[in-house]
Amino acid sequence: MSEAVLLLRRVRERSSEGAAAGARRKRSRRRRFYPEHRVYRARSSFLDLSEEQVLRRYRLDKAAIAGLCSELGSDLESLTGRSHALPVAVKVTSALTFLASGSFQTATRDTTGISQSAMSNCLAQFLEALQRRAARYITFPAPGSTAAHAEGRFPGVLGLLGSMHVALRAPSENELAYRNARNYHSMNMQVVCDAHGTIINVVAKYPGSCPNAAVLENSALARLLDGARLDGLWLLGDRSYPLKTWLMTPILFPCSPGEEKYNAMHQEALSVLKHTCTLLKMRFRCLDKSSGSLQYTPQKVCQIFLACCILHNIALSRRMPLDLAEGEELMEGSDADSELPVQTPFVQISSEARAVRARIVQRFRDSLT
C-alpha cells in the first residue's frame, strides 16, 4: 500500500475520532446535574390573599382570576408528569403580576418558588393562550346590528378612535422605523373604545414612526366602514386622522358658535378615550414608559398590549376598582406619550364627508337658538 493511501487513512481516522469526541462533549454539556434530594420552595396561592391584596397585585379579583385559570387551563396545563410542574394558577398569577408591575423582579418576589426564567416561560404561554381568545373580549359591533348604537351628548358616536405609544427597546432590524416623534422607540397602537371605556377594536402591529392616519388606512376597520352604509353613526378622532363620512374630526379654525359648540362636544366625547388609555397604563404598569421600555421584540410587545386590553375589558365588565399603591394618583394627561406632536394628514377630503360634518354643526347651531 502506498504511503499516500496510508496517510489519507490516518487523516480520516483522526477526523472521525475528533468528531466522536466533540459529540461526546456536546452530550455531556446538555446534561444537567440534579441533586438526589431536591428542595422545592412552597408556592403561594392567590386564594391565600385578601380581596384587596389580590386587586392590588394582579389588577383582577379572585373570581376573575379563577375564571381565567378555568378558560386557559387547556393551553397552560403542563404535559410533563413531574410532581412539581407549575400549576395553571401559578402561571396565570405570575403573568398578571408582571403585567401589573412591569418588572420580573417584582413578580419573582411576590410569587414564591418561581425563578425569573420560569416567569418568562409563564408569560409567553399566557400571552399565546389569551391571544387565541381575543375575539371573545374585543368585538367591534357590526354596522346595522342592535349592538351598534350611539350614546353621549355628541350625536351618532359609534366609537372613539385614538392611538397609544408603548415604549420598547431598540430593535436590531429597521431601528429607525420604531423612533416616534418624541425620539424614543415605540409601537403605535390604534385603539377604539365605546362611551363606557370598553375597548372594541385594537390594531397592534405598526412601529412608532407610522402616522395615525396610515395605521387607520391600512386597518381592517377602515375597510369595514368604507364598505358599510352607516345610518347616522360615526367614529370620533383627533386632528391626526382625516375627515371621513364615518369619522368626525375637529374643525381646525372654528368661525361660528355652531362650530365652536361642535368642537367642544367633540373634545368632551373624546375625553373618554384619553381616560381609558390613562387607566390602561395605570392598571398595567408594563405599558407605562415611566416604568421603563419593554425589553422584548415588537411582536411580543404587541402581544402584551393586546393581553392588557383584554384584561382591561374583563376588569371593566366586573366593575373592578383600580386599587393604586400608596402615593399613586390617577392623573389625566400626565403621561408624556399623550403629548406626541399631532401629524395632520395631507389627504383630500371628500365633499360628502364635509357635508356630513356640516349637518352636525347645523344641529349644534340650532340647539343654541
Side-chain angles (χ1 to χ4, degrees):
M1 189 177 294
S2 65
E3 293 183 1
V5 173
L6 289 174
L7 181 62
L8 180 60
R9 180 178 294 177
R10 288 173 186 170
V11 170
R12 287 177 177 175
E13 288 175 354
R14 288 177 182 175
S15 62
S16 62
E17 289 174 359
R24 284 194 299 270
R25 284 196 299 271
K26 188 176 292 185
R27 284 197 298 270
S28 65
R29 283 198 301 268
R30 288 176 183 171
R31 296 193 187 115
R32 292 185 61 184
F33 172 74
Y34 292 102
E36 185 177 353
H37 301 288
R38 298 181 67 187
V39 178
Y40 295 91
R41 289 177 290 176
R43 295 168 185 149
S44 64
S45 170
F46 70 95
L47 297 173
D48 299 330
L49 305 174
S50 67
E51 197 68 63
E52 182 181 353
Q53 290 174 317
V54 170
L55 274 172
R56 182 169 296 179
R57 182 177 298 182
Y58 306 119
R59 304 308 196 194
L60 298 177
D61 60 20
K62 290 184 179 181
I65 295 174
L68 278 176
C69 292
S70 176
E71 183 175 357
L72 306 181
S74 59
D75 289 357
L76 301 183
E77 190 110 33
S78 296
L79 299 178
T80 178
R82 295 174 183 171
S83 59
H84 284 80
L86 293 179
V88 173
V90 172
K91 293 182 178 182
V92 170
T93 52
S94 298
L96 290 176
T97 308
F98 168 74
L99 296 177
S101 65
S103 168
F104 269 133
Q105 284 71 30
T106 302
T108 304
R109 183 178 66 247
D110 290 344
T111 309
T112 58
I114 305 297
S115 66
Q116 186 163 325
S117 60
M119 278 291 309
S120 181
N121 292 333
C122 290
L123 178 64
Q125 294 176 33
F126 178 81
L127 295 177
E128 290 283 350
L130 208 54
Q131 185 178 20
R132 296 189 191 103
R133 296 162 175 82
R136 300 184 189 178
Y137 298 98
I138 300 177
T139 306
F140 190 82
S145 69
T146 55
H149 62 279
E151 297 184 51
R153 298 171 64 185
F154 196 105
V157 178
L158 177 61
L160 307 166
L161 170 69
S163 70
M164 181 172 158
H165 283 258
V166 178
L168 77 163
R169 70 180 178 189
S172 57
E173 297 181 4
N174 203 12
E175 175 264 342
L176 286 177
Y178 294 88
R179 283 189 179 272
N180 62 27
R182 284 287 179 186
N183 203 32
Y184 68 86
H185 299 89
S186 69
M187 297 297 297
N188 187 0
M189 312 296 194
Q190 179 176 290
V191 180
V192 180
C193 74
D194 62 15
H196 305 291
T198 301
I199 296 174
I200 58 178
N201 183 263
V202 174
V203 177
K205 61 180 179 180
Y206 291 97
S209 66
C210 192
N212 292 350
V215 176
L216 175 64
E217 195 66 28
N218 291 282
S219 68
L221 178 65
R223 292 191 292 272
L224 171 68
L225 297 180
D226 276 334
R229 298 187 64 85
L230 300 178
D231 185 16
L233 296 174
W234 35 73
L235 301 180
L236 296 188
D238 61 22
R239 291 185 291 112
S240 64
Y241 296 100
L243 179 69
K244 294 177 177 289
T245 56
W246 48 265
L247 176 59
M248 294 295 105
T249 59
I251 298 173
L252 295 182
F253 304 104
C255 55
S256 70
E259 292 182 348
E260 291 176 355
K261 180 71 176 294
Y262 167 91
N263 276 3
M265 292 296 99
H266 187 284
Q267 183 178 3
E268 179 184 321
L270 209 58
S271 66
V272 175
L273 175 67
K274 295 180 181 178
H275 176 80
T276 299
C277 291
T278 301
L279 193 63
L280 196 60
K281 290 188 177 185
M282 293 295 289
R283 193 184 296 276
F284 302 106
R285 284 295 189 180
C286 65
L287 301 179
D288 193 349
K289 183 176 176 292
S290 63
S291 299
S293 302
L294 286 170
Q295 302 298 302
Y296 293 105
T297 63
Q299 294 76 16
K300 190 69 166 291
V301 170
C302 293
Q303 278 189 321
I304 290 174
F305 181 76
L306 182 61
C308 291
C309 290
I310 292 172
L311 297 173
H312 164 83
N313 283 356
I314 292 174
L316 211 63
S317 66
R318 298 181 61 84
R319 301 179 183 274
M320 295 179 204
L322 177 57
D323 193 358
L324 300 175
E326 187 175 351
E328 287 185 317
E329 294 182 8
L330 185 62
M331 299 292 290
E332 296 291 344
S334 60
D335 198 333
D337 292 354
S338 62
E339 302 300 325
L340 286 171
V342 175
Q343 298 173 298
T344 305
F346 295 98
V347 295
Q348 186 173 3
I349 306 301
S350 68
S351 58
E352 186 180 0
R354 294 184 187 277
V356 172
R357 187 167 67 177
R359 286 195 293 270
I360 301 174
V361 171
Q362 182 62 47
R363 193 180 307 181
F364 283 123
R365 185 183 297 118
D366 295 341
S367 68
L368 293 173
T369 59

